[in-house]
């Protein structure tokens, strides 16, 4: 097999692990690929590099390809999401000053209870300046869904500011924002630096949120079907390796290298293990499934997940919800997943969509490889989303 070089962009986040591990542990090499991993300073830069053909693939926010398919954000290039790279992995935090305001106000915070914590924020009765890494991101979608559900009119009730993940702690320290939603390890860095406290993990809003995807240009996937398959298999093998809990220390060490995240392996391991330090006082909380790469067919690009994102965007931007859900679903390429991963033994759900929010306990379902155990995917408010009923 001829070795082919591929340029792949990423942001310095724990959830870039499938690409890093695919390169560093030889899974890409097994598929005849030499991955050149190129860090980006911001999500807009990463998106533009992919759109302009400067890189072949990218670690990408799951809503970005959907926003582009809906004509949002000023980029018309079609991206395809070949697979999901990671589930969950975000944290919501507040400045030390806001944490003190919450305590002075008698607010009750429960790190794993989105309703209680959301009500505590609402009780402040003040505008909140909140940082997110990009307007079209799961961070933004989770925040809007959460705060709207507990009665804070969003986005009207929020002053949302775009801040690259590595700069979130600095923005809190400078007083530019009061709160943030960001991927790890950057929430933990804000805690470590004494600039903020964590109040909620993203998985407490939606237990199985597709956080990042492996994105490519649609025309590239069509023209380079062999390379598409090789890349997908390398990343899937890396995800399977990442799913082994005995590998956490090794994963954290590799991700800590300067060319990737450049932060302490101990801080990185917090997200991988779910043992989160939420304040500089050393308070810890155990977060089940803080971040996932493999369990429960985590990498499968469910069309219903894409439809949920499309439906939320359509509601916010005044688009036709049925058309938006359909356009969003087309972006998540479960057909390519089934085609290119069939030889790996990957768990293949019998269908490409499900009712989102309906699974409260690990649930066995039929799959092409036997029995697949789907993990809980509940929304914090008990809502369900059936993409077949979108109207």
């Amino acid at each position: 097999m001829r070795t082919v070089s591929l340029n792949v962009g990423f942001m310095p986040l724990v959830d870039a692990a499938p690409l890093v591990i695919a390169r560093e542990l030889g899974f890409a090499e097994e598929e005849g690929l030499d991955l050149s991993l190129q860090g980006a300073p911001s999500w807009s830069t990463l998106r533009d590099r992919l759109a302009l053909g400067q890189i072949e693939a990218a670690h990408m926010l799951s809503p970005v390809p959907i926003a582009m398919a809906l004509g949002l954000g000023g980029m018309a290039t079609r991206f395809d999401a070949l697979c999901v790279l990671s589930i969950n992995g975000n944290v919501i935090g507040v400045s030390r000053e806001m944490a003190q305001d919450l305590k002075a106000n008698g607010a009750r915070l429960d790190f794993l209870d989105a309703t209680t914590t959301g009500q505590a924020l609402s009780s402040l009765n003040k505008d909140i300046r909140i940082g997110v890494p990009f307007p079209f991101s799961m961070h933004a979608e989770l925040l809007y869904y959460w705060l709207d559900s507990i009665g804070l009119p969003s986005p009207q009730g929020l002053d949302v500011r775009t801040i690259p993940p590595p700069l979130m702690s600095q923005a809190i320290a400078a007083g530019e924002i009061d709160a943030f939603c960001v991927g790890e390890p950057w929430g933990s860095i804000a805690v470590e630096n004494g600039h903020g406290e964590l109040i909620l993990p993203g998985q407490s809003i939606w237990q199985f949120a597709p956080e990042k995807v492996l994105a490519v240009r649609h025309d590239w996937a069509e023209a380079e079907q062999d390379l598409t398959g090789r890349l997908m298999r390398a990343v899937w093998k890396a995800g399977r390796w990442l799913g082994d809990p005995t590998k956490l220390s090794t994963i954290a060490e590799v991700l800590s290298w300067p060319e990737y995240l450049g932060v302490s392996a101990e801080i990185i391991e917090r997200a991988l293990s779910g043992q989160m330090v939420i304040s500089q006082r050393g308070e810890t909380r155990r977060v089940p499934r803080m971040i996932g790469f493999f369990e429960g067919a985590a990498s499968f690009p469910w069309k219903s997940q894409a439809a949920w994102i499309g439906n939320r965007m359509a509601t916010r931007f005044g688009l036709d919800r049925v058309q938006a859900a359909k356009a969003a679903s087309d972006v998540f390429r479960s057909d390519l997943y089934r085609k290119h991963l069939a030889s790996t033994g990957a768990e293949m759900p019998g269908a490409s969509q499900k009712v989102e929010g309906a699974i409260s306990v690990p649930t066995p379902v039929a799959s092409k490889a036997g029995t697949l155990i789907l993990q809980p995917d509940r929304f914090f408010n008990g809502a369900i989303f059936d993409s077949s009923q979108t109207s």
Side-chain angles (χ1 to χ4, degrees), residues 154-232:
S154 57
Q156 297 86 355
L158 294 176
D159 178 0
V160 178
R161 304 186 179 190
T162 300
I163 299 170
L167 301 182
M168 205 66 79
S169 179
Q170 295 176 35
I172 278 277
E176 297 171 9
I177 54 176
D178 307 301
F180 57 79
C181 181
V182 71
E184 281 292 279
W186 304 109
S188 289
I189 291 294
V191 171
E192 198 71 9
N193 292 342
H195 299 151
E197 298 188 9
L198 305 183
I199 62 171
L200 196 72
Q203 67 90 242
S204 288
I205 300 172
W206 186 9
Q207 289 183 302
F208 207 77
E211 175 56 33
K212 303 298 190 307
V213 295
L214 177 62
V216 298
R217 294 182 307 282
H218 175 73
D219 58 357
W220 187 87
E222 293 295 308
E224 300 288 355
Q225 295 189 36
D226 177 62
L227 286 179
T228 296
R230 288 155 69 176
L231 177 60
M232 291 178 70

Side-chain angles (χ1 to χ4, degrees), residues 4 30 78 101 124 127 182-184 194 219 226 259 340:
V4 178
E30 285 179 7
R78 173 173 166 175
D101 288 347
L124 293 178
D127 291 337
V182 71
E184 281 292 279
D219 58 357
D226 177 62
E259 61 266 42
H340 292 302

Side-chain angles (χ1 to χ4, degrees), residues 16-46:
L19 293 171
V20 173
I21 294 302
R23 171 181 166 75
E24 298 297 343
L25 269 72
F27 298 115
E29 186 178 3
E30 285 179 7
E31 292 292 337
L33 298 177
D34 177 16
L35 296 187
S36 173
L37 299 185
Q38 302 178 10
S42 68
W43 287 111
S44 57
T45 299
L46 188 55

Side-chain angles (χ1 to χ4, degrees), residues 237-293:
K237 291 174 186 177
R240 179 177 59 183
W241 190 89
L242 286 161
D244 182 348
T246 68
K247 303 292 198 302
L248 298 187
S249 294
T250 301
I251 300 164
E253 183 62 36
V254 173
L255 290 176
S256 74
W257 294 352
E259 61 266 42
Y260 297 128
L261 273 63
V263 303
S264 156
E266 184 276 327
I267 293 176
I268 293 170
E269 195 165 342
R270 295 178 193 177
L272 294 170
S273 67
Q275 295 288 354
M276 300 300 295
V277 178
I278 66 171
S279 76
Q280 203 173 42
R281 296 182 298 278
E283 298 172 90
T284 62
R285 297 291 186 275
R286 167 69 179 158
V287 183
R289 294 179 299 280
M290 174 65 201
I291 188 169
F293 301 104

Side-chain angles (χ1 to χ4, degrees), residues 95-118:
S95 67
R96 288 187 304 173
E97 292 74 20
M98 179 164 280
Q100 290 167 2
D101 288 347
L102 286 165
K103 290 168 187 170
N105 200 43
R108 176 171 166 261
L109 296 175
D110 184 328
F111 192 66
L112 295 178
D113 186 334
T115 299
T116 299
T117 299

Side-chain angles (χ1 to χ4, degrees), residues 126-141:
K126 61 183 287 188
D127 291 337
I128 301 172
R129 300 168 301 162
I130 189 161
V132 298
F134 200 62
F136 305 114
S137 62
M138 189 54 66
H139 315 84
E141 296 305 328

